[in-house]
């Protein structure tokens, strides 16, 4: 029989709870994994060393000036400093490190001859992580296509599916004994559709320039759907190869997912939000988790271009379901109907946050909503948050007397973790959280001007300095949660 508590004791217990003297209020499941993520082009540097081939991003920054004259030829020099960086991850308590492989480091021409020194780098990195007790999670493709393959038609040609499969096999065979978490692709919507579409439009005199990435004209965007289909097919083929090798780790994909909320409660805005959700989310979630494409988006794209789906493709996609879904979440999209818009008759609202983050509106409930929605609509898949994080500009990342008091980032991370925690409480099978990113790094066309790290990097000296958010994150991992 339970003993009745005296009112005095009950009052103490109550005040303890509200003053948090009884341990973390947000405790994560015991087997929850805390990690951080990076991508090869953004951190490695050593762009032309030890036999590495060129990637399209080497070309974009060195030849096409897409980052305003900056390049990631050195970046944060992780290629040479990986031992120190792994030691830093270990000191922070990081349990898993998500990094990507530069395809052109392993296969300088994209196919054919392997560069042993390139493969060896990743093997040493994996060993260093394992020795530090950190689980490696490998992304095969984070946007840096070998230039040699771009010259052969890149992702627009169907052959790209087999180029990727060959490369994936090489990586599985080399590291599969030590790496148990594999991510085929990072963010098909952002790269295959938006970035590659914008760049293609900018370089091709036959295509009118794209005004803004998320306002891309329907015919230009539809022209990229074939690229995203090849990614989906390549993803499925790589899973097939992975399993055929008898490897028993987990293999999945990382999608950028942004919940689309109608700007008002009008029917037109609701319909616009459904389209935005289809273009950004369902076009990828459906093939990955259901083995089909959403009919509404397929019809929108097919009206303008051949999406490239051939007999038998959907069977391959359906037969090779991912073991987990990697979710990258930064911000939601607020959508309204805009009949004049050449972007499928929809438009998004500008961010009205007082202190705008680089990656859009700060809205932690968006993370909760999308986790619940994926859980409900896609049969409770295993989910890892493979990216979440923020940068707010120079004020928040100011280095003063060797310290960085990044209050806005600290608040962002904490509130998003609370949203993730709530989703777990409500039954979502969320098992990992990878923060973007441990280190400030090279932010694509914004170069070194946009910092996202827990650790400040002086790009001149390569010194690493812990920000306040790094100390927070260290304590969250240590306590497996927080008050
Ligand atoms: C992405 C990329 C990262 C970015 C990060 C911050 O998801 O967009 O994976 O490479 O650096 O998202 O913008």
């Amino acid at each position: 029989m339970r003993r009745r508590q005296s009112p005095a004791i009950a009052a103490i217990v109550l005040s303890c709870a509200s003053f948090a003297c009884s341990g973390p209020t947000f405790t994560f499941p015991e087997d929850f994994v805390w990690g951080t993520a990076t991508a090869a082009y953004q951190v490695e540097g050593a762009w032309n060393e030890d036999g590495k081939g060129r990637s399209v991003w080497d070309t974009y920054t060195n030849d096409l000036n897409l980052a305003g004259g900056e390049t990631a030829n050195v970046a944060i020099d992780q290629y040479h400093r990986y031992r120190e960086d792994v030691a830093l991850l270990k000191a922070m308590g990081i349990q898993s490190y998500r990094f990507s492989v530069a395809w052109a480091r392993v296969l300088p021409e994209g196919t054919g001859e392997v560069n042993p020194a390139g493969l060896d780098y990743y093997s040493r990195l994996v060993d260093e992580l394992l020795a530090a007790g950190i689980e490696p999670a490998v992304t095969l493709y984070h946007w840096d296509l070998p230039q040699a393959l771009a010259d052969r038609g890149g992702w627009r040609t169907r052959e790209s599916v087999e180029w990727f499969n060959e490369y994936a096999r090489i990586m599985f065979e080399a590291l599969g004994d030590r790496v148990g978490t594999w991510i085929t692709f990072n963010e098909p919507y952002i790269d295959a559709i938006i970035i590659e579409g914008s760049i293609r439009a900018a370089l091709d005199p036959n295509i009118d320039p794209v005004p803004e990435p998320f306002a891309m004209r329907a015919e230009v965007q539809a022209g990229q759907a074939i690229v995203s289909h090849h990614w989906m097919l390549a993803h499925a083929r790589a899973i097939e190869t992975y399993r055929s090798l008898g490897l028993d780790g987990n293999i999945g994909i990382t999608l950028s997912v942004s919940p689309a909320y109608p700007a008002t409660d009008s029917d037109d805005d609701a319909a616009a939000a459904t389209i935005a959700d289809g273009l950004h989310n369902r076009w990828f979630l459906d093939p990955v988790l259901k083995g089909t494409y959403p009919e509404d988006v397929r019809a929108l794209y097919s009206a303008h271009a051949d999406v490239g789906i051939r007999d038998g493709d959907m069977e391959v996609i359906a037969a090779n379901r991912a073991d987990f879904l990697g979710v990258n979440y930064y911000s939601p999209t607020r959508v309204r109907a805009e009949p004049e818009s050449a972007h499928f008759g929809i438009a998004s609202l500008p961010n009205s946050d007082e202190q705008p983050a680089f990656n859009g509106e700060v809205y932690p409930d968006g993370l909760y909503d999308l986790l619940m929605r994926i859980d409900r609509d896609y049969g409770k898949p295993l989910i890892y948050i493979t990216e979440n994080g923020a940068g707010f500009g120079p004020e928040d990342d100011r280095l003063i007397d060797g310290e960085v008091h990044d209050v806005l980032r600290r608040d962002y991370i904490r509130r998003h973790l609370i949203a993730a925690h709530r989703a777990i409480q409500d039954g979502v099978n969320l098992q990992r959280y990878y923060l973007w990113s441990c280190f400030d790094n090279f932010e694509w066309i914004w170069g070194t001007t946009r910092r996202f790290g827990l650790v400040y990097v002086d790009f001149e000296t390569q010194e690493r300095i812990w920000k306040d958010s790094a100390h927070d994150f260290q304590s969250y991992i240590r306590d497996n949660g927080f008050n």
Side-chain angles (χ1 to χ4, degrees):
M1 207 180 77
R2 281 183 66 202
R3 246 199 284 157
R4 296 266 308 277
Q5 245 174 17
S6 82
I9 294 179
I12 293 169
V13 169
L14 210 75
S15 70
C16 247
S18 50
F19 289 102
C21 62
S22 55
T25 316
F26 302 101
T27 303
F28 284 73
E30 226 167 85
D31 55 356
F32 194 74
V33 174
W34 300 83
T36 62
T38 56
Y41 185 70
Q42 298 181 267
V43 298
E44 283 180 2
W47 74 302
N48 59 4
E49 285 180 46
D50 298 338
K52 176 179 169 294
R54 262 194 178 222
S55 79
V56 289
W57 272 93
D58 292 323
T59 303
Y60 296 161
T61 55
N62 284 279
D63 299 353
L64 303 180
N65 223 19
L66 283 195
E70 282 198 280
T71 71
N73 296 356
V74 177
I76 69 163
D77 198 29
Q78 193 162 82
Y79 184 78
H80 296 114
R81 293 167 196 265
Y82 72 93
R83 286 201 180 84
E84 294 95 296
D85 283 348
V86 171
L88 189 153
L89 294 168
K90 184 180 178 181
M92 209 182 284
I94 298 297
Q95 296 163 345
S96 180
Y97 183 53
R98 173 181 175 228
F99 64 92
S100 82
V101 173
W103 185 342
R105 202 178 281 293
V106 175
L107 289 154
E109 295 298 317
T111 56
E113 197 87 358
V114 170
N115 171 32
L119 204 51
D120 185 55
Y121 168 67
Y122 296 107
S123 184
R124 285 182 283 124
L125 174 59
V126 163
D127 286 344
E128 192 75 16
L129 287 164
L130 291 173
I134 300 170
E135 205 228 294
V138 174
T139 306
L140 288 170
Y141 188 78
H142 201 125
W143 308 357
D144 47 355
L145 186 70
Q147 182 61 45
L149 296 182
D151 296 342
R152 289 164 67 186
W155 291 109
R156 306 194 74 76
T157 103
R158 230 179 126 82
E159 269 183 280
S160 57
V161 175
E162 289 317 310
W163 298 336
F164 181 77
N165 192 34
E166 177 190 330
Y167 156 60
R169 176 187 294 276
I170 289 165
M171 296 315 302
F172 297 149
E173 285 174 345
L175 305 180
D177 57 336
R178 289 162 288 160
V179 172
T181 301
W182 293 89
I183 293 163
T184 53
F185 287 92
N186 180 72
E187 296 192 351
Y189 174 70
I190 303 294
D191 193 47
I193 302 273
I194 301 297
I195 299 182
E196 292 299 318
S198 307
I199 291 172
R200 178 171 144 257
L203 297 180
D204 187 338
N206 299 314
I207 304 178
D208 289 338
V210 169
E212 274 173 58
F214 293 94
M216 190 178 273
R217 269 190 317 285
E219 66 274 20
V220 178
Q221 182 153 336
Q224 289 304 115
I226 191 166
V227 171
S228 75
H229 177 60
H230 291 157
W231 282 36
M232 286 297 119
L233 209 50
H235 158 76
R237 287 278 291 128
I239 292 183
E240 194 173 30
T241 298
Y242 183 74
R243 293 184 181 145
S244 76
L245 292 171
L247 295 165
D248 63 355
N250 277 352
I251 180 162
I253 188 169
T254 278
L255 303 181
S256 67
V257 191
S258 178
Y261 300 108
T264 69
D265 56 12
S266 75
D267 290 349
D268 287 351
D269 286 352
T274 302
I275 294 177
D277 177 58
L279 298 171
H280 194 149
N281 306 320
R282 286 181 289 116
W283 184 248
F284 305 97
L285 287 167
D286 283 17
V288 166
L289 296 171
K290 290 182 175 167
T292 56
Y293 279 112
E295 281 307 325
D296 57 340
V297 184
R298 191 167 169 180
L300 287 177
Y301 282 155
S302 302
H304 298 282
D306 174 11
V307 176
I309 303 168
R310 302 283 174 260
D311 283 352
D313 288 1
M314 297 319 293
E315 284 73 9
V316 175
I317 289 174
N320 295 288
R321 194 175 191 265
D323 293 318
F324 66 88
L325 177 71
V327 166
N328 288 1
Y329 173 75
Y330 291 90
S331 56
T333 316
R334 312 257 171 207
V335 197
R336 64 183 169 81
E338 171 57 77
E340 303 298 296
S341 158
H343 183 63
F344 306 94
I346 65 172
S348 55
L349 301 187
N351 182 3
S352 59
D353 282 356
E354 249 171 60
Q355 292 170 300
F358 293 136
N359 281 2
E361 180 189 338
V362 177
Y363 189 63
D365 283 352
L367 177 59
Y368 174 80
D369 289 349
L370 81 86
L371 291 171
M372 296 303 291
R373 180 269 179 104
I374 293 170
D375 187 73
R376 184 188 65 231
D377 291 355
Y378 294 93
K380 298 191 94 39
L382 171 60
I383 301 177
Y384 301 159
I385 293 174
T386 39
E387 280 179 38
N388 174 240
F392 290 88
E395 276 307 314
D396 200 45
D397 273 322
R398 198 172 295 290
L399 182 62
I400 306 164
D401 297 333
E403 294 182 357
V404 179
H405 306 298
D406 52 343
V407 255
L408 298 176
R409 180 177 295 103
R410 293 177 67 190
D411 181 62
Y412 180 101
I413 295 172
R414 192 185 153 82
R415 288 165 62 205
H416 284 78
L417 282 169
I418 291 173
H421 183 265
R422 182 151 72 99
I424 295 172
Q425 298 293 303
D426 290 345
V428 173
N429 190 10
L430 171 66
Q431 291 186 6
R432 297 183 179 203
Y433 176 90
Y434 290 89
L435 185 106
W436 185 276
S437 177
C438 186
F439 311 95
D440 290 339
N441 58 50
F442 190 88
E443 180 65 12
W444 308 110
I445 59 169
W446 293 281
T448 55
T449 63
R450 293 190 168 190
R451 295 174 179 271
F452 281 81
L454 295 172
V455 172
Y456 183 93
V457 175
D458 179 327
F459 291 101
E460 296 293 314
T461 63
Q462 295 295 348
E463 193 186 351
R464 274 80 161 135
I465 297 163
W466 290 40
K467 303 179 191 175
D468 287 355
S469 58
H471 295 286
D472 279 359
F473 206 60
Q474 181 186 41
S475 79
Y476 298 167
I477 301 173
R478 186 194 57 222
D479 300 341
N480 198 29
F482 47 85
N483 289 309

